[in-house]
Amino acid sequence: MSGVRVLVGTRKGAFLLTADGNRKRWQVSGPHFGGWEIYHLAGSPVDPNRLYASQSTGWFGQLIQRSDDGGTTWEPVGNAFVYEGLPGTHQWYDGTPHPWEFTRVWHLTPSLTDVDTVYAGVADAALFRSVDGGQTWHELSGLRGHGSGSRWQPGAGGLCLHTILLDPHHAGRMFVAISAAGAFRSDDDGTTWRPINRGLKSDYIPDPDADVGHCVHKITLHPSRPHVLFMQKHWDIMRSDDAGDSWQEVSGNLPSDFGFPIAVHAHEPDTIYVVPIKSDSEHYPPDGKLRVYRSRSGGNEWEALTKGLPQRDCYVNVLRDALAVDALDPGGVYFGTTGGQVYASADGGDTWTPIVHDLPSVLSVEVQTLP
Amino acid sequence: MIRVMLPAHLRALARVKGEVELEVEGPPTQQSVLDTLEARYPMLRGTIRDHASHQRRPFIRFFACEEDLSHEAPDAPLPDAVTTGAEPLMIVGAIAGG
């Protein structure tokens, strides 16, 4: 029987949660790298035993760990992330120029076709690629260098490149998102880039519909239809049907359109999930009720999913990388909270069960569907 | 022989227990000791000092002989007690929350 492996990054280590296809009995492995912040783990679509982890602390900086046996053993690989050329400046919070400084790797995206190629999104925002399994990293500097980089400004979590999407149909096309700069697309394998933020409106910047400056929290796509993008912006759920050339708001009847993650069902390209959060200063769910919202129409019409989730006195947050889906049938949905819970649904979100209650604050959740 | 005491997380990363003992070529300095340490344990590169500039990471300190050597020049000679192996060079993670 096939199974799932849930890769959980927390403030104090990594945890691997595994189950068979029934997704009822779970085994918990960890903490791996106890005491370190694990911003993200990701598995290769080519070889599910190849995992990458971003490990960091304020004391010792950044490490990248690699496993070739599904997380049983790990080896540190390359951790030199050096900006290409003169780093230059972006804007600081007060609008003054600030030198680009590497702080950490936020997100890892392994190649869809080559087990040794992996992309890293870092803060201060830049995109790096390794073609040797993480041993060496080289910046795809056309992103920072395309022209708007000097106007990018950090969000509350820093100036971070947190989303990397690879288009499985259109060779060389990839998307990234940066807080608080916006979304960007390359059609030539990361060499050249352009902003794709037309239709976004953000009242917290001087020009609400500027080409850059939007605090995009997450974008996602379904691999069968990669020209359709869904976005959780700081406020607003957005949809693009033209690979980001234009966006329309699809927040509809959500109780709040602020939030961090967004995900698409593995088998239903118009079924999307968000976790509404009350506001950008109150990072907890509205009314103390932890509710995932599902739209089966690609946005606008949303239903609350509550069975098995706390519906009173709940004040956790769900961060941008902490919502994921599996590809089993029926499709599963997973998310982790800043309170250390990881919830799973084996029925597309209709019912939820906590896999674990008491982990350190969860930073990221990824799911591997195992053969 | 130079004795180096690493913080617990870096001992785990380098997969060593207790102190590390290093033979350093030339006059022992912070720089030559760290060069030798990183050559023997490449996974420590970037965790104590910057890859390129070799600047000490902000929350890392160097102690020896009950003195804070963190702000000494990287090429300054280490105390005799460290160069003779009587005392270890301690690489310490600052107490700074977390």
Side-chain angles (χ1 to χ4, degrees):
Chain A
M1 176 183 284
S2 59
V4 290
R5 183 190 295 131
V6 182
L7 312 174
V8 183
T10 80
R11 291 266 177 217
K12 291 295 178 186
F15 297 82
L16 307 185
L17 319 176
T18 52
D20 66 19
N22 290 323
R23 293 161 285 182
K24 289 183 177 168
R25 292 185 179 178
W26 292 88
Q27 294 187 316
V28 179
S29 162
H32 302 270
F33 325 117
W36 294 71
E37 291 184 314
I38 308 297
Y39 265 60
H40 196 221
L41 303 104
S44 166
V46 181
D47 175 2
N49 281 325
R50 170 63 65 83
L51 307 181
Y52 297 96
S54 170
Q55 172 188 3
S56 65
T57 70
W59 290 286
F60 309 120
Q62 179 68 48
L63 295 167
I64 298 292
Q65 296 275 352
R66 190 180 87 191
S67 175
D68 290 316
D69 56 13
T72 303
T73 62
W74 296 84
E75 290 291 334
V77 287
N79 64 343
F81 291 87
V82 180
Y83 295 112
E84 186 175 289
L86 291 174
T89 60
H90 58 78
Q91 285 194 37
W92 195 232
Y93 293 97
D94 63 358
T96 57
H98 189 82
W100 240 276
E101 293 176 312
F102 174 84
T103 54
R104 64 171 55 84
V105 172
W106 271 71
H107 190 88
L108 295 161
T109 296
S111 160
L112 302 176
T113 55
D114 176 32
V115 72
D116 284 328
T117 296
V118 55
Y119 298 84
V122 314
D124 288 338
L127 181 64
F128 285 78
R129 178 166 56 196
S130 171
V131 296
D132 56 10
Q135 298 289 357
T136 58
W137 297 90
H138 301 283
E139 187 191 3
L140 297 171
S141 59
L143 174 61
R144 282 191 312 124
H146 81 269
S148 72
S150 62
R151 289 183 281 134
W152 299 353
Q153 200 162 6
L159 180 61
C160 55
L161 195 160
H162 50 68
T163 304
I164 306 165
L165 299 174
L166 305 176
D167 187 325
H169 291 180
H170 191 297
R173 174 171 284 179
M174 53 201 303
F175 307 90
V176 300
I178 296 169
S179 270
F184 300 84
R185 190 179 83 205
S186 171
D187 290 319
D188 55 8
D189 206 24
T191 304
T192 62
W193 293 85
R194 64 186 184 89
I196 49 166
N197 300 303
R198 192 158 58 91
L200 306 188
K201 290 196 181 340
S202 302
D203 291 334
Y204 47 79
I205 56 178
D207 176 2
D209 55 4
D211 60 339
V212 298
H214 302 274
C215 192
V216 175
H217 284 180
K218 200 69 192 170
I219 58 175
T220 189
L221 58 77
H222 191 278
S224 73
R225 205 177 57 176
H227 62 284
V228 178
L229 299 173
F230 297 102
M231 173 190 293
Q232 170 71 68
K233 192 162 68 65
H234 195 79
W235 295 95
D236 303 333
I237 313 298
M238 307 296 293
R239 171 182 175 137
S240 172
D241 290 293
D242 51 15
D245 287 340
S246 63
W247 296 87
Q248 302 80 42
E249 185 176 358
V250 292
S251 305
N253 60 333
L254 287 170
S256 166
D257 58 16
F258 183 88
F260 291 96
I262 187 166
V264 188
H265 191 285
H267 310 303
E268 302 168 16
D270 264 328
T271 297
I272 54 178
Y273 301 89
V274 296
V275 184
I277 294 297
K278 186 175 179 185
S279 74
D280 52 1
S281 59
E282 301 153 292
H283 280 193
Y284 46 73
D287 306 318
K289 300 177 179 179
L290 183 55
R291 291 168 290 185
V292 176
Y293 275 73
R294 177 175 63 195
S295 171
R296 294 187 184 277
S297 55
N300 283 323
E301 297 85 31
W302 299 88
E303 57 178 325
L305 308 173
T306 62
K307 289 181 183 174
L309 299 177
Q311 295 304 297
R312 53 174 293 183
D313 304 329
C314 182
Y315 294 94
V316 297
N317 195 0
V318 178
L319 300 180
R320 71 189 79 217
D321 260 336
L323 173 66
V325 299
D326 71 33
L328 294 173
D329 189 13
V333 191
Y334 306 78
F335 70 92
T337 77
T338 54
Q341 301 86 31
V342 178
Y343 291 98
S345 170
D347 53 14
D350 290 339
T351 60
W352 298 87
T353 306
I355 305 175
V356 283
H357 302 89
D358 300 306
L359 298 186
S361 182
V362 174
L363 298 171
S364 62
V365 172
E366 292 287 348
V367 181
Q368 292 182 285
T369 305
L370 303 174
Chain B
M1 183 268 294
I2 305 291
R3 298 161 52 201
V4 176
M5 177 63 83
L6 293 168
H9 284 302
L10 297 189
R11 290 200 301 274
L13 180 63
R15 294 176 185 163
V16 297
K17 293 181 179 176
E19 295 176 355
V20 173
E21 297 181 352
L22 300 173
E23 296 294 340
V24 177
E25 290 188 15
T29 63
Q30 284 182 24
Q31 183 168 305
S32 64
V33 169
L34 293 175
D35 288 346
T36 307
L37 179 71
E38 290 175 353
R40 185 155 146 195
Y41 301 102
M43 68 285 280
L44 297 180
R45 289 177 182 156
T47 64
I48 299 168
R49 56 183 183 168
D50 183 80
H51 279 280
S53 69
H54 284 179
Q55 187 171 2
R56 175 177 51 85
R57 289 188 55 77
F59 290 173
I60 294 285
R61 307 299 286 270
F62 304 132
F63 297 165
C65 308
E66 300 184 353
E67 299 286 339
D68 183 354
L69 308 181
S70 306
H71 301 288
E72 299 288 319
D75 57 357
L78 290 171
D80 289 344
V82 174
T83 63
T84 61
E87 292 286 337
L89 174 66
M90 302 174 71
I91 298 175
V92 179
I95 296 173

